[in-house]
Amino acid sequence: VRDEFNSVAYSGNDGTASWTSDWQELGEADGASLGHVEVRTAGSVVEGPYLAIDLSILGTGISRQVDLSSATSATLSFVYEQNTSSAGGQIVLEAFDGVSWNTLQTYNINSDFYVGTVGVSQSFDISASADASSKIRFRTPEAATGDEIYLDNLQIEYTSVLGTGGST
């Protein structure tokens, strides 16, 4: 499953398999073109389009569900970058295994992200979260005025017990 954020929408399915649901905003519900979480076509050093998350509101973020019940292994990957005008703040990446949310990474703004570094790649083994109701989410555990992160080319590549090879 993959989302390249090719349009200002939360429904992107750019892989060989589809997500179970659209992206769901956390802390707001104003759609993909407005607010603290939005898909942008341009406006930063990242080539658009991309997903932007403003870290100025506690609890802001986004999540998406995928059926990984047939997966024997699964890897989440994406490209990210930071735009900041202040110090501090965090964004937490979590995976849901059908029972509970598990923290994959807590990013500390201004120490784990670097302004002007375009397209930093990140990947995580999320095989332990493989379930029919698996989800991933990015959320802000605290407010940090002026900071944003940008995400693009988000995918979960998995190997299925139902066939040979993998899906994205």
Side-chain angles (χ1 to χ4, degrees), residues 40-120:
R40 295 184 186 158
T41 57
S44 94
V45 292
V46 175
E47 290 185 31
Y50 56 90
L51 179 67
I53 302 174
D54 177 348
L55 307 181
S56 66
I57 305 294
L58 172 67
T60 299
I62 198 156
S63 69
R64 197 161 192 190
Q65 185 173 341
V66 60
D67 182 353
L68 296 176
S69 59
S70 67
T72 57
S73 65
T75 302
L76 166 67
S77 63
F78 54 90
V79 176
Y80 69 90
E81 140 179 10
Q82 166 197 356
N83 179 26
T84 184
S85 60
S86 64
Q90 293 181 326
I91 188 85
V92 177
L93 169 60
E94 297 168 311
F96 184 70
D97 61 11
V99 177
S100 60
W101 287 100
N102 303 294
T103 300
L104 300 174
Q105 180 81 32
T106 299
Y107 296 97
N108 295 299
I109 303 304
N110 292 332
S111 63
D112 292 331
F113 287 84
Y114 303 98
V115 175
T117 303
V118 178
V120 178

Side-chain angles (χ1 to χ4, degrees), residues 13 20 72 83 132 138 140 159:
N13 279 294
T20 306
T72 57
N83 179 26
F138 294 86
T140 57
T159 303

